[in-house]
Amino acid sequence: MTGVAPDLARASAMLDVKRYSQAASLLAVVVAADPENGRAWCLLAAAHLGNGLYQEAAAAATRAITLAPSDDWPYRLASFAQMHLGNITAARTAATEACNLAPNNWQAHLCLAQAELAGYVKFNAWEQGAGPAQQAIASALRLAPDEPDVHVVAGQVSFARGRSAAARNHQERALALNPAHSGALNELGRIKARHFAHAQAARHFMRAAQSAPEISVYGQNVDTTVRRVVNLTIYGAATAGIVLSFLTSYTRLGRGPLLIGYVAIIMLSAGFFAVQLQRMPPAARQLFRTRRIALALATAYGAILIAMIVAAVTPVGVLPTAVPAVTLLIVASRFIAAAILPRKKSSTVDHQRTG
């Protein structure tokens, strides 16, 4: 039909600038007018992926496969859709077929690497030795050594295998190729977070969020880093308080050493928190000022303060018998604080979903 080609060109241009909803609306009209157009269905699947409508993306990609079964693109789109739906087996199958149809297309091997990596993340186990993800990303690197997205995913595979140095090298290579690559910045943040460099992690996450503000995961990762600092502070204070209480119970430390110990715990953990806070970028510091964080900190430190009061007012002869109750109080405060401020893991973002 005469109007289809210009509409497809317009829709493709919209996808390039991430105007997914507008592209989807236009493409819905196109496929209604020309339901046998495989490219239109692929573009519609890509638009749905961009909008996070994975069921609709899977349906459009499946329709494209029936119309163009020898084209690898609809299989890649189907793989990404199934990956996000949690259907890892279907995602692997579609990505493998894309590689079979286009063995020299780096995007097909990248898609397979991401499907295999999603399987590792979901099931927390490599299937055979180093895992099929490593094999797939090796093929992508051989075919496209200068593609930033390939290095980002190669870094994700290395990170999942616990090889932080290799992961960092790949992300730095991706940034050398594209200094504004939000995915590489985010992955560097995840690497720093794993090694407790929370301030540096926050900076990378912030830069990723600034580079791609439409991707909410990056902002969420900043919040996750903030939560992790608070949880570490609480965990350290509570653990030290529990150890001190046990030592008091079993060695019968006097009131003075016990009180000094509690004061030292509060001062040291507060100092750690202050240093971490000072190192954070200014925008990240604002995230510490929430009721949930304040309540979690108050719960943990409140328990230690109560323990100090008990140690101060309890008769010396009764103190060893009061310590177990104090210990239980600190343990309970740790669990309550964890419930108030649950731990979260930093998240990754897939790339080349619509390529």
Side-chain angles (χ1 to χ4, degrees):
M1 301 180 69
T2 57
V4 169
D7 284 343
L8 292 181
R10 286 172 56 203
S12 182
M14 290 175 184
L15 291 177
D16 289 339
V17 295
K18 301 179 181 179
R19 292 164 55 187
Y20 300 119
S21 296
Q22 291 173 279
S25 298
L26 176 58
L27 290 163
V29 175
V30 172
V31 296
D34 186 9
E36 302 302 310
N37 192 314
R39 176 171 171 75
W41 283 104
C42 281
L43 289 170
L44 181 58
H48 286 321
L49 280 172
N51 280 325
L53 302 174
Y54 302 119
Q55 289 284 4
E56 292 83 348
T62 299
R63 176 62 175 158
I65 289 171
T66 63
L67 296 170
S70 61
D71 186 358
D72 69 299
W73 188 20
Y75 288 97
R76 287 188 279 120
L77 292 166
S79 179
F80 281 117
Q82 296 296 343
M83 195 188 313
H84 282 279
L85 291 171
N87 301 326
I88 304 302
T89 300
R92 286 170 173 159
T93 300
T96 300
E97 185 60 26
C99 290
N100 292 336
L101 291 169
N104 294 320
N105 185 346
W106 64 269
Q107 291 175 308
H109 293 282
L110 185 65
C111 179
L112 179 57
Q114 289 182 279
E116 295 291 357
L117 185 60
Y120 164 73
V121 171
K122 182 174 182 178
F123 302 114
N124 197 30
W126 291 100
E127 288 193 345
Q128 295 177 351
Q134 186 181 9
Q135 300 168 20
I137 200 60
S139 297
L141 283 167
R142 175 176 52 81
L143 292 167
D146 293 327
E147 283 290 339
D149 283 344
V150 173
H151 283 282
V152 170
V153 176
Q156 290 172 348
V157 172
S158 295
F159 186 71
R161 299 181 64 213
R163 299 184 176 181
S164 295
R168 184 178 63 252
N169 290 339
H170 279 298
Q171 304 308 339
E172 289 175 348
R173 175 59 178 160
L175 286 175
L177 294 166
N178 179 4
H181 199 296
S182 61
L185 290 167
N186 182 70
E187 292 305 311
L188 280 175
R190 295 179 68 226
I191 294 167
K192 293 296 183 181
R194 173 177 282 185
H195 293 281
F196 300 97
H198 301 108
Q200 294 179 47
R203 289 190 184 94
H204 285 304
F205 292 142
M206 295 286 293
R207 287 181 60 195
Q210 292 165 359
S211 180
E214 74 280 0
I215 300 179
S216 61
V217 167
Y218 302 144
Q220 293 168 9
N221 284 346
V222 179
D223 181 66
T224 296
T225 304
V226 168
R227 286 169 177 255
R228 194 175 186 194
V229 169
V230 176
N231 271 310
L232 278 173
T233 302
I234 293 172
Y235 181 80
T239 302
I242 292 167
V243 170
L244 178 62
S245 298
F246 270 116
L247 285 174
T248 302
S249 180
Y250 284 101
T251 64
R252 296 184 178 275
L253 288 173
R255 187 196 310 277
L258 182 59
L259 289 173
I260 291 172
Y262 283 137
V263 171
I265 289 169
I266 293 175
M267 292 181 64
L268 288 173
S269 61
F272 168 81
F273 184 75
V275 169
Q276 293 296 318
L277 183 61
Q278 181 62 33
R279 289 177 177 175
M280 287 283 169
R285 290 178 205 162
Q286 302 300 317
L287 298 176
F288 285 89
R289 300 175 181 176
T290 66
R291 290 183 180 179
R292 190 176 288 269
I293 287 176
L295 184 58
L297 288 170
T299 300
Y301 283 113
I304 296 176
L305 287 172
I306 292 173
M308 288 180 61
I309 294 170
V310 170
V313 303
T314 302
V316 175
V318 184
L319 188 58
T321 61
V323 166
V326 169
T327 304
L328 289 176
L329 175 65
I330 297 175
V331 171
S333 74
R334 176 68 188 103
F335 282 106
I336 294 171
I340 294 171
L341 198 69
R343 296 182 187 182
K344 292 183 179 180
K345 290 185 178 180
S346 57
S347 302
T348 188
V349 174
D350 61 315
H351 295 276
Q352 287 294 321
R353 292 183 299 170
T354 62

